[in-house]
Amino acid sequence: MSEAAARTLPDTLWDGREEIEVVTFDIAGEVFALEAAAVQEILDLLPETSVPGAKAFVGSVINFRGKVIPLADIRLAFGMEATQPTIDSRIVVIELDIEGEPTLTGIRTDKVHEVTTLVRSAGEPPPSVGMRWRPDFIDCLVKRGSDFIILPNLQAIFSANHEHRNIGSSTI
């Protein structure tokens, strides 16, 4: 990666570091990663409660350790089709800072792979053309072998789909 490209990677993700530890997972045949420090737990699928009137992106809630938290399907934020869960499907519970407040959120995945280390020098900003997703929803792509790992910009995704904010404090 060129020095100029390294400067265009979002420093909020890398926070000045050259490496980050991530949890990798599949959504719709693509490999995504979230910073491991944000991951609270990886769960088997749990019973979901639909939230009437909520957008499909965060259309349900789950009970996580006695707390009601929103369950997000980021494939819907990316404009992909919803799919049926499989035996490999998991929920990754993360803590996001939303409007200055730590908020627990579940993210539905097709399969969780591993905890691994990604190197900043292998990262590239998302291309502005040729992608099937909104580039502002992606922090960067990191090349690993012959594949790319997508690091989603959860702040942008949840800000654009802000309907979940009141769900987390709900007593459904």
Side-chain angles (χ1 to χ4, degrees), residues 83-149:
T83 61
Q84 292 298 314
T86 69
I87 195 165
D88 292 326
S89 297
R90 298 289 180 271
I91 297 170
V92 177
V93 178
I94 59 166
E95 185 173 287
L96 285 174
D97 183 32
I98 299 177
E99 294 185 349
E101 190 172 316
T103 305
L104 289 174
T105 303
I107 295 178
R108 189 180 291 120
T109 69
D110 294 336
K111 182 178 187 172
V112 173
H113 293 289
E114 63 181 339
V115 175
T116 189
T117 301
L118 298 180
V119 182
R120 183 180 184 136
S121 61
E124 295 284 341
S128 57
V129 294
M131 297 219 18
R132 67 180 188 173
W133 314 295
R134 289 176 49 174
D136 59 320
F137 281 3
I138 301 192
D139 271 332
C140 70
L141 304 173
V142 177
K143 187 149 177 74
R144 188 169 73 168
S146 61
D147 298 321
F148 281 101
I149 297 174

Side-chain angles (χ1 to χ4, degrees), residues 30-80:
E30 303 288 346
V31 179
F32 286 79
L34 296 173
E35 187 171 8
V39 175
Q40 302 295 305
E41 198 162 329
I42 298 169
L43 306 170
D44 289 334
L45 293 181
L46 297 171
E48 301 174 23
T49 301
S50 294
V51 178
K55 297 280 180 163
F57 168 68
V58 285
S60 59
V61 293
I62 58 171
N63 180 343
F64 175 67
R65 297 185 188 168
K67 288 182 134 181
V68 175
I69 66 169
L71 180 61
D73 191 343
I74 62 174
R75 87 180 72 238
L76 299 176
F78 280 116
M80 299 177 197

Side-chain angles (χ1 to χ4, degrees), residues 12-15 17 19-23 25 33-40 92 94 151-152 154:
T12 53
L13 173 70
W14 298 94
D15 197 24
R17 299 168 292 176
E19 297 180 341
I20 57 171
E21 197 169 73
V22 297
V23 174
F25 57 92
L34 296 173
E35 187 171 8
V39 175
Q40 302 295 305
V92 177
I94 59 166
L151 281 83
L154 294 179

